Amino acid sequence: MQSLSPTKIDAKKAERILVVEWNDGHASAFPFGLLRAGCPCVECRGGHDKMRSDPEPSVFNQELPESSATNLADLSLVGSYGLNIQWNDGHHHGIYQWDYLRKLCPCEQCRFEKQK
Ligand SMILES: [Zn+2]
Ligand SMILES: [Zn+2]
């Protein structure tokens, strides 16, 4: 099977969502607050030993208010394996690898599959 990667990434700043279309046909809509809550950088995850794990389940219940921390400033691809997101508060350490990003997908289908 082809490895998971996005075919399209579109940051809708007015709606505060990041739309990602995947090469398996799935589409994800990530609220900016969720992306920030799930920032995979060492600082946000609290240590290198946690870097390989999946997103913390709690990030899906966190409602981060609109602030400079949840305003997306810029996006850039990191090689072919991930996405770097820069936030308006200057935070820019998170590299969302495709597998991780997909696990952050908040849609019902993905949330349901994760619970199994
Ligand atoms: Zn971070
Ligand atoms: Zn999904």
Side-chain angles (χ1 to χ4, degrees):
M1 206 182 116
Q2 204 180 359
S3 65
L4 185 69
S5 67
T7 55
K8 190 179 163 198
I9 298 175
D10 190 10
K12 298 182 185 291
K13 292 190 182 180
E15 297 154 62
R16 299 174 50 75
I17 54 171
L18 179 75
V19 175
V20 176
E21 292 175 15
W22 301 95
N23 60 351
D24 65 353
H26 194 69
S28 303
F30 302 99
F32 288 174
L34 172 62
L35 289 171
R36 181 58 191 260
C39 177
C41 83
V42 184
E43 192 186 322
C44 294
R45 306 209 75 189
H48 281 279
D49 52 325
K50 303 202 172 100
M51 293 300 287
R52 279 177 176 277
S53 52
D54 293 348
E56 295 290 334
S58 63
V59 302
F60 294 99
N61 305 318
Q62 271 176 49
E63 291 276 340
L64 293 186
E66 181 170 354
S67 71
S68 59
T70 57
N71 276 328
L72 195 149
D74 211 355
L75 292 172
S76 52
L77 291 175
V78 182
S80 59
Y81 66 88
L83 181 72
N84 174 240
I85 299 180
Q86 294 116 54
W87 301 98
N88 270 347
D89 65 348
H91 196 79
H92 63 274
H93 303 294
I95 295 170
Y96 299 71
Q97 296 190 24
W98 303 137
D99 286 352
Y100 180 90
L101 188 63
R102 178 61 172 261
K103 285 174 186 160
L104 268 183
C105 180
C107 84
E108 274 184 32
Q109 188 190 339
C110 293
R111 304 309 316 132
F112 184 73
E113 279 177 14
K114 211 165 175 285
Q115 284 167 15
K116 278 194 286 196

